Amino acid sequence: MNMRAEIQRTPAEAAIVDAFGERLSLLPGDGAVMVKRDDAIEQIKAGLPTRRVESWHYTDLRRLLASVPAFDASAEAKPIAALLEGSTLLSIVNGVSAATPSVDGVTFQRLGDKLVDGSYAPALVTYGSDDAVGALNTAFVADGYFVDIEAGTQLEKPIELQNVQAGGQSHVRLPVRVGAGAKATIVERQTGEGAGLASSVSQLLLGDDAEVLWLIVQDQPETATHLAQFKAELGKNAKLTLFVMNAGGKLVRQEVIVKAAGEGADFKLRGVNLLSGESHVDVTMVLDHTVPHTSSTEVVRNVVTGRAKGVFQGRINVHQIAQKTDARMACNTLLLSDDGEFSTKPELEIFADDVACGHGATVTEIDRNHLFYLMARGVDEKTARGLLVRAFLAEVIEELEDETVVEPLEELLSNWFATHG
Amino acid sequence: MLEIKNLHARIAESGTEIIRGLNLTVKAGEVAAIMGPNGSGKSTLSYILAGRDDYEVTEGDILYNGESILEMDPAERAAKGLFLAFQYPMEIPGVATMEFLKVAMNSQRKARGEEPLKVPDFIKRVKEAAGTLEMDFNMLKRPVNVGFSGGEKKRAEILQMKLLEPKLCVLDETDSGLDIDALKIVSDGVNALRSPDRAIIVITHYQRLLDHIVPDTVHVLYKGQVIKSGDKSLALELEENGYAGIIEEAA
Ligand SMILES: Nc1ncnc2c1ncn2[C@@H]1O[C@H](COP(=O)(O)OP(=O)(O)O)[C@@H](O)[C@H]1O
Ligand SMILES: [Mg+2]
C-alpha cells in the first residue's frame, strides 16, 4: 500500500484526487457515507488498476483513462423518449435526479436523499482492491434512484432509469429491490453527448420467485468514458434476464456481478456489443452459483469494425455445495475489419462435482458461402453483408420474444448500422 | 443467349484446373441438359456462371446476350437475369426466408430501375408461388433453408426462381433428394417457366428428370470439357450404355 501510494500519479488519477478535494463539500452524505467516500478515494490514490491486475488484464485502466473532464454544472442535457412504449420514465440529467412519479406497488426515492440521511451508507461497498469502478463511484456518487417493488406486484409498464449526461462527470447509483413473486421490466439507459466521464452502479435484489427483465442500453458518444457495474443477487426460483447492449462510448467497462443465491434461481445474460472507431469496450462478468440447483446461460455477440477493441471476461464460480449447477457460456465475435480486435476470457471455477458447465468462444468473419448465396440472388454486397451481420445479432435479440422489447432494440441496431455499417 | 468459349478455370486456392477448354452455346427458348459422371465439373461450371470467387477463369470467355460477364459480381449477374438453383442450397441462420425473398426481389427490381414491391403484392406473389409448389407458407417464416429437408430446400430454390423470373436458369441436380411426387411438382414448376425468351440449363445425373423436363439439347461433360452434344436421344443412350462408350469415343 505504502509503496503504491508513492507512485507517480497519471494526469487522470491526479484529476480524480483533486476533484475529490474540490467536490467534497458538495457531496451529499452523513458521517457514515463520508467514511465510505474517504476509504474509496484512498483506493484510487493507490493507483488505477493496470494490466497486471488480473481482472483488468485486457483493459489497462491506468493507461487507457488518458484524461478526466472537470465537473461541469452548466452542461445542458435533456431526457430522451423512453425506449419501450408506455414506460414510467425516471431521468437523471447530468447526475441529478428529478421528482419521482407514483406507481402502485412501487416506491421511488431520490438517492441523494438516502445519502443525506445515511440510510444508503451500508450499501456502499466495494468488492475488493481491484474494484476501481465501485471505488470511483462510491467516492463521488451524488444521486440516482432507489426503487422498491412490493412483493407480488406484477408491473405492467416497464420502468426506465435514464442517465443522460452532456460532458463533465456524473456518478450515479440505481438500487432496485424486487419483492417476492413480483415481476418487472427495467430499462437502464446510459446515454448523452460530449466527452464526459460517467460511473454508474446498479444493485438489484431479487426476492424469491421474482422475475425481472433488465435491459442495459448504452449508447454514449464516441468520446465518452463509461464505467458501470451491475450487481444482482437472486433468491429462490428467481429469474433474471439481463440484456446488455453497448452501442457507443470511447472507453467502456461494464461489469456484471451476479450471485445465484437461492435454489432454483436462473440467470440469463444476453449481450450485444457493437464496436466501432477507436473504442474500447469491456464486459466483465463474475457469476457465483452458491447453492444447489441453479442455472445460468450467457450468450454474448460482438461486431467489431474500425480499430475497435473488445473484451469479454466471463468467470463462473460454482461453489462446493452448489451441486446440479447448469451453466453455459458462449461468446461469438464477428470481426469486420483487419484492425479490430476482440479478446475473450472464459473462466470456470468449479468446486462441486455434480454439475453441467461449458463454454465456447468463436471469432469469425462473414461466411463467404452465405455472402455468395445472397449475392447470387441479386442482393448487392453491402446489403448482403448488412443482412448477415444483423442476422448474427438478431438471434440474441429475438430470443427475448416479447415484440414490444425486440422491435425497439432492433431499431437501435438499425440506427447503429445506418451510422457505422 | 449463352456462349461459353474455350473456358479454362481453376480453383483459386490450389490452382487445380477443373474446367479445361469448355465450349457450349445455349439459345433463348432452349432447354439444355448437361450430364456427366461425378466430379466432371458440372457444379463448378454452374458456380463459375454465377460468379463464385472460389474459381478463377484463366482463359476463354462467357458471353451472356453477347456481353462478357466475367467482370461482374454475382449480384450484377443475377440482376441481369442469371439464376443458379444450387445442388446444395445453403442454410443461413438468422435471416428469415420472407425477409430474404423481399430483399432479393427488390434488389433486382432496383437494379432494373423498378419500384420496390408493395408488401401485400409481395406476400400475394409468394403465397401463389408456394401454393403451386405445394409448400407450406409457414415454412417461409423460418430462417433461409434452416431445418428444411433436402427436398424442401430444392423446392425453395425453385420458389426463388419463380419469384425472381430469371432469363437464364441453371438447375444443378435439382432432382437429387426428391421423391417421385416432388419431382413431378418441381418439374411442372420448371416447365411453367419455359418460354421463347428464356433458356434453362438442367444439370443432372439421371434420365429420370429429363422424362419430365424434356430437353432440346443434351451435352456430356467430362473432365471439364463437353465431349459430346446431341438431342434428347443422347440422354437415353447414356441411360442404356453408361458413359464409358462415349468417353472412349472422345479419347
Ligand atoms: N472449391 C473446391 N475445392 C476443391 N476441390 C473442388 C472445388 N470445387 C470443385 N472441386 C473438385 O473439382 C472436381 C469437379 O467437381 P464438381 O464440379 O463438383 O463436379 P460434379 O458437379 O460434376 O460432380 C471434383 O474433383 C471436385 O472435388
Ligand atoms: Mg455437382
Side-chain angles (χ1 to χ4, degrees), chain B residues 43 87 172-173:
Chain B
S43 292
Q87 180 174 6
D172 190 1
E173 304 220 12

Side-chain angles (χ1 to χ4, degrees), chain B:
Chain B
M1 173 168 254
L2 178 72
E3 244 184 297
I4 303 177
K5 295 199 281 198
N6 187 32
L7 190 71
H8 288 257
R10 62 186 186 195
I11 299 166
E13 207 174 27
S14 63
T16 311
E17 185 164 68
I18 307 288
I19 303 297
R20 304 181 176 94
L22 186 146
N23 292 289
L24 178 70
T25 302
V26 181
K27 297 194 193 68
E30 181 177 332
V31 174
I34 295 182
M35 305 186 76
N38 255 333
S40 54
K42 302 184 298 295
S43 292
T44 302
L45 175 64
S46 75
Y47 288 141
I48 292 169
L49 285 172
R52 191 171 188 152
D53 63 5
D54 298 52
Y55 305 98
E56 254 172 33
V57 171
T58 52
E59 217 184 311
D61 208 347
I62 304 174
L63 303 180
Y64 174 69
N65 291 331
E67 183 187 13
S68 173
I69 57 170
L70 292 182
E71 296 302 314
M72 298 178 191
D73 78 16
E76 292 169 311
R77 297 182 193 198
K80 290 211 178 274
L82 206 142
F83 182 94
L84 167 62
F86 285 65
Q87 180 174 6
Y88 304 108
M90 280 152 207
E91 300 188 5
I92 310 187
V95 178
T97 309
M98 285 300 272
E99 169 77 4
F100 162 63
L101 293 173
K102 192 167 77 198
V103 173
M105 289 170 78
N106 283 335
S107 294
Q108 295 203 11
R109 294 176 72 89
K110 191 173 157 197
R112 292 192 297 258
E114 296 165 18
E115 288 293 304
L117 285 171
K118 298 243 174 2
V119 175
D121 185 19
F122 162 72
I123 290 178
K124 189 170 147 256
R125 290 183 188 214
V126 176
K127 277 205 163 134
E128 264 174 31
T132 60
L133 291 167
E134 296 184 21
M135 289 176 76
D136 179 5
F137 184 71
N138 283 320
M139 217 171 81
L140 305 179
K141 292 174 183 158
R142 303 217 298 258
V144 177
N145 290 325
V146 175
F148 289 20
S149 71
E152 285 169 339
K153 284 181 185 165
K154 296 298 175 77
R155 281 188 212 213
E157 293 289 291
I158 302 304
L159 174 77
Q160 292 173 32
M161 189 165 94
K162 282 178 93 78
L163 292 169
L164 293 169
E165 301 176 331
K167 285 288 182 278
L168 175 62
C169 311
V170 182
L171 280 66
D172 190 1
E173 304 220 12
T174 299
D175 49 340
S176 64
L178 293 182
D179 61 34
I180 195 75
D181 293 335
L183 186 67
K184 177 94 178 53
I185 293 163
V186 166
S187 304
D188 288 348
V190 175
N191 286 328
L193 283 171
R194 289 180 91 140
S195 88
D197 64 347
R198 182 175 281 135
I200 300 174
I201 298 176
V202 183
I203 296 173
T204 183
H205 248 33
Y206 306 105
Q207 164 62 27
R208 193 177 74 149
L209 178 68
L210 303 181
D211 288 339
H212 298 276
I213 306 172
V214 180
D216 301 304
T217 55
V218 174
H219 310 270
V220 179
L221 189 62
Y222 182 66
K223 287 194 174 165
Q225 284 185 329
V226 174
I227 57 167
K228 184 160 185 166
S229 297
D231 62 13
K232 65 183 177 195
S233 63
L234 178 56
L236 291 168
E237 188 188 325
L238 287 170
E239 179 85 350
E240 289 277 297
N241 308 323
Y243 291 105
I246 287 173
I247 291 169
E248 250 166 58
E249 199 179 299

